[in-house]
């Protein structure tokens, strides 16, 4: 049993910054990929950023150069540093994690509860 708890969302002015956190807890043997998605009203969920166990990263073109995904394996936490925020970044942000609960087990996928990010003046 694994839970992902997100935090760090809120209201920020355009050009401002926020850092989202997503902490995994429970029975975890190893965490593979960690990702951030977002979904705005009327839009499909989109992948914002991803980071592998080797810390290779990928970003959506819309956030490249502004957002940075990182991970702290000791804390089992993935972060999304969001700088120079724009109104179009407004969405609910969800973390998503691929992990193994036990050695030799099949990979499991978990979602966070979502955290609201609102960028408005």
């Amino acid at each position: 049993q694994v839970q992902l708890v997100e935090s760090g969302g809120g209201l920020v002015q355009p050009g401002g910054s926020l850092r989202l956190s997503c902490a995994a807890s429970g029975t975890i043997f190893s965490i593979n990929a960690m990702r951030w998605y977002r979904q705005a009203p009327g839009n499909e969920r989109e992948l914002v950023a991803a980071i592998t166990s080797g810390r290779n990263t990928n970003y959506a073109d819309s956030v490249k150069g502004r957002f940075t995904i990182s991970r702290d394996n000791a804390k089992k936490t993935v972060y999304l540093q969001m700088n120079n925020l724009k109104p179009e970044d407004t969405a609910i942000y969800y973390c998503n994690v691929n992990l193994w609960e036990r050695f030799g087990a099949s990979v499991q996928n978990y979602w966070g509860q979502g955290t609201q990010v609102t960028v408005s003046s």
Side-chain angles (χ1 to χ4, degrees):
Q1 183 67 34
V2 174
Q3 291 189 339
L4 306 180
V5 179
E6 301 181 32
S7 62
L11 175 64
V12 65
Q13 294 183 339
S17 298
L18 286 172
R19 189 175 79 155
L20 306 183
S21 299
C22 174
S25 63
T27 303
I28 301 172
F29 171 73
S30 180
I31 299 177
N32 192 8
M34 308 180 83
R35 311 174 185 88
W36 286 98
Y37 289 82
R38 68 185 181 188
Q39 187 166 20
N43 291 19
E44 292 189 344
R45 183 186 64 190
E46 66 171 333
L47 178 64
V48 176
I51 184 167
T52 68
S53 60
R55 290 186 167 84
N56 294 312
T57 59
N58 289 281
Y59 299 92
D61 289 341
S62 59
V63 308
K64 194 171 298 182
R66 300 187 297 119
F67 291 10
T68 302
I69 188 171
S70 61
R71 62 193 287 167
D72 184 330
N73 290 336
K75 296 181 178 180
K76 300 176 182 176
T77 299
V78 60
Y79 304 95
L80 186 67
Q81 178 66 47
M82 304 183 293
N83 297 327
N84 191 24
L85 282 160
K86 303 176 180 181
E88 49 264 45
D89 295 319
T90 297
I92 301 176
Y93 284 70
Y94 300 91
C95 65
N96 176 265
V97 176
N98 286 146
L99 58 85
W100 293 267
E101 296 178 353
R102 302 289 186 189
F103 173 78
S106 59
V107 67
Q108 302 293 321
N109 184 265
Y110 291 91
W111 289 90
Q113 82 280 8
T115 185
Q116 177 70 48
V117 171
T118 302
V119 185
S120 176
S121 59

